[in-house]
């Protein structure tokens, strides 16, 4: 039966997301060592989703400033919010597997495009790299993971992430 826990004041957004999310028991039949490995994997994903959200926020701002045709800046800003939600889903999964709290302190964003690219060329490179390539690879990885997952909590989390990643890749291919 799903259980709900209450959030505690003063905790990070990821920890609050983990605490307020209703989840089934994650991988209850796995040995503790495997649960720890899965917890570390979900924590790694949470940190990656956190960084991706920041990249998308930066891209949305630069797209808005550059003024490309269409609603790309709005769609990229919405994708940034999706990635923040993904961070919380992944952090919740890591917590359910007993992983310690995840450090999501702000860090400088690594540059994606080669340094010789500036302006519109840099923006185009980063849209392709982050949305076309990365999101398409993530969709494939998540689909395969979903196909292999056996517990409802893991399948539900993977499905939630997968649906968004497919839409995010379409943003890039449309750009």
């Amino acid at each position: 039966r799903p259980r709900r826990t209450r959030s505690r004041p003063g905790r990070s957004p990821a920890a609050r997301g983990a605490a307020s999310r209703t989840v089934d028991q994650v991988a209850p039949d796995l040995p503790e060592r495997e649960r720890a490995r899965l917890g570390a994997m979900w924590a790694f994903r949470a940190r990656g989703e956190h960084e991706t959200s920041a990249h998308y926020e930066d891209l949305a701002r630069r797209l808005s400033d550059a003024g490309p045709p269409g609603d790309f800046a709005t769609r990229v800003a919405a994708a940034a919010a999706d990635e923040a939600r993904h961070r919380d889903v992944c952090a919740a999964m890591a917590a359910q597997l007993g992983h310690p709290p995840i450090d999501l302190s702000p860090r400088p964003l690594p540059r994606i495009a080669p340094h010789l690219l500036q302006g519109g060329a840099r923006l185009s490179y980063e849209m392709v790299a982050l949305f076309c390539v990365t999101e398409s690879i993530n969709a494939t990885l998540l689909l395969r993971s979903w196909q292999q997952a056996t517990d409802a909590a893991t399948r539900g989390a993977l499905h939630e992430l997968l649906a968004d990643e497919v839409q995010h890749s379409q943003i890039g291919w449309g750009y």
Side-chain angles (χ1 to χ4, degrees):
R1 175 168 216 177
R3 68 183 173 99
R4 183 180 296 273
T5 56
R6 296 180 188 259
S7 64
R8 297 180 187 149
R11 295 174 73 191
S12 72
R16 284 194 305 273
S20 64
R21 184 176 170 78
T22 300
V23 295
D24 296 320
Q25 177 66 31
V26 177
D29 299 330
L30 286 181
E32 191 58 36
R33 182 176 174 176
E34 287 298 310
R35 288 176 59 79
R37 286 178 58 199
L38 281 176
M41 184 273 311
W42 281 107
F44 178 81
R45 275 205 73 89
R47 285 187 294 275
E49 300 285 358
H50 182 67
E51 184 176 293
T52 301
S53 177
H55 273 296
Y56 287 4
E57 288 173 359
D58 178 59
L59 275 171
R61 179 190 51 76
R62 290 189 288 133
L63 281 165
S64 181
D65 292 346
D71 61 349
F72 286 104
T74 302
R75 292 175 68 196
V76 171
D82 291 342
E83 297 296 327
R85 184 174 39 78
H86 294 178
R87 172 202 59 219
D88 293 344
V89 168
C90 294
M93 293 298 290
Q96 285 291 316
L97 289 158
H99 194 277
I102 302 163
D103 176 17
L104 297 174
S105 56
R107 296 187 175 129
L109 286 178
R111 186 179 169 110
I112 303 296
H115 287 281
L116 63 101
L117 294 179
Q118 299 297 327
R122 176 183 176 194
L123 194 55
S124 293
Y125 184 98
E126 291 175 355
M127 285 294 292
V128 169
L130 290 170
F131 283 93
C132 299
V133 177
T134 303
E135 295 289 5
S136 294
I137 291 170
N138 271 331
T140 302
L141 173 67
L142 289 166
L143 176 60
R144 183 69 176 141
S145 298
W146 178 81
Q147 290 169 336
Q148 297 296 309
T150 57
D151 67 273
T154 301
R155 288 177 62 84
L158 291 167
H159 186 268
E160 182 176 345
L161 300 177
L162 175 59
D164 289 338
E165 302 298 1
V166 169
Q167 289 181 353
H168 296 170
S169 71
Q170 291 171 346
I171 294 170
W173 293 109
Y175 182 77

